Amino acid sequence: MIDFELTDEQRLIRETARDFTDREIVPRVRDNDRNERFDTDLVQKIADMGFLGAIVPEEYGGRDVDYRTYGLIVEEIGRGDSAMRTVVSVVTSLVCSSIVRWGSEEQKRAWLPQLCSGEALGCFGLTEPDTGSDAANLKTRAEKVNGSWRISGGKMWISLGNYAKLALVFAQTDPEKKHKGLACFLVPTDQPGFTTQEIHGKLGLRGSDTAELSLDGVAGELMGEVGEGFKIAMSALDSGRYSVAAGCVGICQGCVNASVDYAKEREQFGRPIGSFQLVQEMIADMIVDTEAARGLVWRAGWLKDAG
């Protein structure tokens, strides 16, 4: 039996995220989107609220909330701006959750506090120009040279790639082994051979940063073991898709709110259009659909918390 009632703590966190979104995110979103501006000041404000790395244990700088509570945070941020929701999804779900689950103690202490505080942003280097989630066919190569790993290749459509201090890069160590040869590497971006190119002209998420990455013999630190790259990528995407879904519920709720406000303000035949039965029924349907989607996300969060 899944309990869909919120605890007092969850209500407080949701209200805090809602107030923050209305106060800090909503006033900036239109301008940032029109100008394709990645608002680093706003990203830092999100980090200062503890919304980056929310699911990370407190000992590494996170808030150690469960996935259901994390979903409430992402929903509210997504309601205000999907570009900022992308920041939370990438840093928290793709990067932090991977390091928490697969990183060594040294790697956790080196990177998680920086990621949670906003001192460093992270990106997730899986997709390539000719390869999406088909991780077994990656062309990026990792070779061990004098005891260290050197990585060469390219990644495409990488969110936060131009601003990240840390890249989780997935590379093939032995093409003949396919997915069993995949490995994940922690790659600091401030080294020779790591370059980025901004991608503009997107149809959506224009206020988020998107990059093409080029890696020419860059140094990477292995996270996990060779052959675990596929598992790491899939576990990260599982967490990432949950946060994307929660953010989409936020979009639905934002549409409901905007529709209700408009129905109250817009007048025809001497009265607000919200007084007409058809408009009322349409908005009612939107509310039902949004609640149904929220229930699915809540159920998914319960399942993740249950392991």
Side-chain angles (χ1 to χ4, degrees):
M1 178 67 68
I2 300 176
D3 184 3
F4 288 97
E5 289 296 320
L6 300 181
T7 66
D8 290 341
E9 181 183 10
Q10 287 170 333
R11 290 191 184 93
L12 177 60
I13 291 175
R14 181 178 64 178
E15 291 170 4
T16 300
R18 180 177 298 165
D19 291 343
F20 173 82
T21 296
D22 290 338
R23 182 180 67 255
E24 299 289 351
I25 296 179
V26 171
R28 303 177 186 226
V29 60
R30 185 183 298 271
D31 189 49
N32 287 339
D33 185 76
R34 285 181 171 177
N35 292 287
E36 299 188 64
R37 180 172 60 242
F38 183 61
D39 194 335
T40 55
D41 290 338
L42 183 55
V43 171
Q44 187 58 58
K45 289 178 180 289
I46 292 173
D48 291 341
M49 291 296 294
F51 295 155
L52 293 185
I55 55 177
V56 173
E58 292 182 357
E59 63 181 304
Y60 302 117
R63 298 185 65 177
D64 201 18
V65 303
D66 58 31
Y67 263 89
R68 287 166 289 177
T69 305
Y70 174 49
L72 296 174
I73 294 171
V74 179
E75 178 184 334
E76 290 299 334
I77 293 177
R79 176 179 60 83
D81 183 12
S82 284
M84 289 298 106
R85 191 276 308 153
T86 297
V87 175
V88 178
S89 292
V90 171
V91 174
T92 305
S93 289
L94 298 184
V95 179
C96 284
S97 74
S98 297
I99 297 175
V100 168
R101 181 172 178 179
W102 301 94
S104 66
E105 186 64 23
E106 182 180 358
Q107 290 168 339
K108 292 176 185 179
R109 296 198 178 279
W111 288 108
L112 289 174
Q114 296 185 61
L115 293 166
C116 292
S117 68
E119 179 183 348
L121 294 179
C123 66
F124 187 76
L126 177 63
T127 304
E128 297 182 352
D130 299 320
T131 306
S133 57
D134 183 12
N137 289 315
L138 294 181
K139 294 181 180 178
T140 299
R141 298 288 183 258
E143 181 182 8
K144 210 163 191 179
V145 180
N146 296 325
S148 300
W149 288 99
R150 292 290 171 176
I151 307 166
S152 296
K155 301 293 181 177
M156 180 63 81
W157 313 117
I158 306 303
S159 297
L160 312 188
N162 294 297
Y163 291 84
K165 291 185 178 180
L166 173 69
L168 261 64
V169 176
F170 294 84
Q172 180 60 262
T173 64
D174 187 344
E176 293 185 358
K177 293 183 178 180
K178 294 190 177 292
H179 68 276
K180 293 184 179 180
L182 286 177
C184 178
F185 299 90
L186 301 177
V187 179
T189 63
D190 59 346
Q191 58 175 304
F194 191 102
T195 57
T196 68
Q197 177 67 46
E198 295 183 16
I199 297 176
H200 290 291
K202 296 176 293 184
L203 293 177
L205 298 179
R206 292 161 56 87
S208 83
D209 173 63
T210 310
E212 178 180 0
L213 310 182
S214 295
L215 303 94
D216 184 9
V218 300
E221 182 180 357
L222 181 66
M223 185 172 75
E225 302 292 336
V226 172
E228 290 184 330
F230 187 81
K231 292 180 181 179
I232 296 173
M234 294 304 106
S235 68
L237 292 175
D238 180 62
S239 178
R241 286 162 180 160
Y242 172 78
S243 66
V244 171
C248 288
V249 173
I251 295 174
C252 293
Q253 187 62 58
C255 291
V256 170
N257 296 347
S259 298
V260 170
D261 291 342
Y262 184 76
K264 291 178 179 179
E265 297 170 0
R266 173 68 170 169
E267 292 190 359
Q268 287 288 284
F269 305 102
R271 55 177 174 157
I273 63 173
S275 65
F276 295 108
Q277 181 180 355
L278 179 60
V279 174
Q280 293 173 358
E281 291 178 351
M282 292 174 64
I283 292 178
D285 287 342
M286 292 172 63
I287 293 173
V288 170
D289 291 342
T290 299
E291 286 302 316
R294 183 175 287 117
L296 290 173
V297 170
W298 192 250
R299 182 183 296 273
W302 182 85
L303 291 172
K304 290 188 69 63
D305 291 331

